[in-house]
Amino acid sequence: MNALQDKAAAIADTEQTAIIVAGRVFVPVSDIETFIAEAQATYPIAAANPGNVLISFCVEDAAAGTVTVLEQWASQEALDRHLATPEVMALFAKWGPHMRNEVRKFDVLNERDPRA
């Protein structure tokens, strides 16, 4: 197993409901590089949260201003801690009015290998 699989397995052993945050945000094309840099700057904040399994923001289509968001959290409490950090709150305050957010939150109740 790799480190990500190890962390996910340890969280699964606690029998908590994991949280997946996934979807797309759309920002003005002229701002996409700035947005992605500022969003990715939250990676160390997420990594410091023991309930973070995965966080990723990547440009899906620069010409359309589309960014793919994918996060996995051990629990709602872990996600709440992340969202309450000053840096993440500032990111939403700055970009919220300038983006269309199609990101959704999913409760994971039956995690398994996708090939199973």
Side-chain angles (χ1 to χ4, degrees):
M1 271 198 243
N2 65 34
L4 182 59
Q5 290 169 324
D6 291 341
K7 193 171 184 182
I11 289 166
D13 287 343
T14 66
E15 297 186 20
Q16 293 178 337
T17 300
I19 303 294
I20 301 292
V21 176
R24 294 181 178 107
V25 295
F26 299 85
V27 298
V29 172
S30 60
D31 294 332
I32 195 161
E33 294 303 323
T34 302
F35 174 79
I36 202 76
E38 291 179 11
Q40 289 177 346
T42 66
Y43 287 0
I45 296 154
N49 183 332
N52 174 254
V53 178
L54 168 74
I55 189 165
S56 177
F57 302 97
C58 40
V59 175
E60 180 179 320
D61 183 348
T66 309
V67 174
T68 300
V69 176
L70 180 60
E71 303 177 25
Q72 182 178 352
W73 298 91
S75 64
Q76 182 62 52
E77 293 77 19
L79 175 57
D80 290 346
R81 277 193 308 272
H82 180 68
L83 295 174
T85 63
E87 298 86 351
V88 173
M89 290 175 57
L91 184 73
F92 277 105
K94 177 179 179 178
W95 289 101
H98 307 288
M99 70 178 175
R100 187 172 86 233
N101 187 341
E102 295 182 0
V103 174
R104 297 295 177 260
K105 178 176 70 170
F106 304 88
D107 300 314
V108 179
L109 302 174
N110 188 16
E111 184 176 340
R112 62 198 174 281
D113 188 309
R115 299 165 291 180

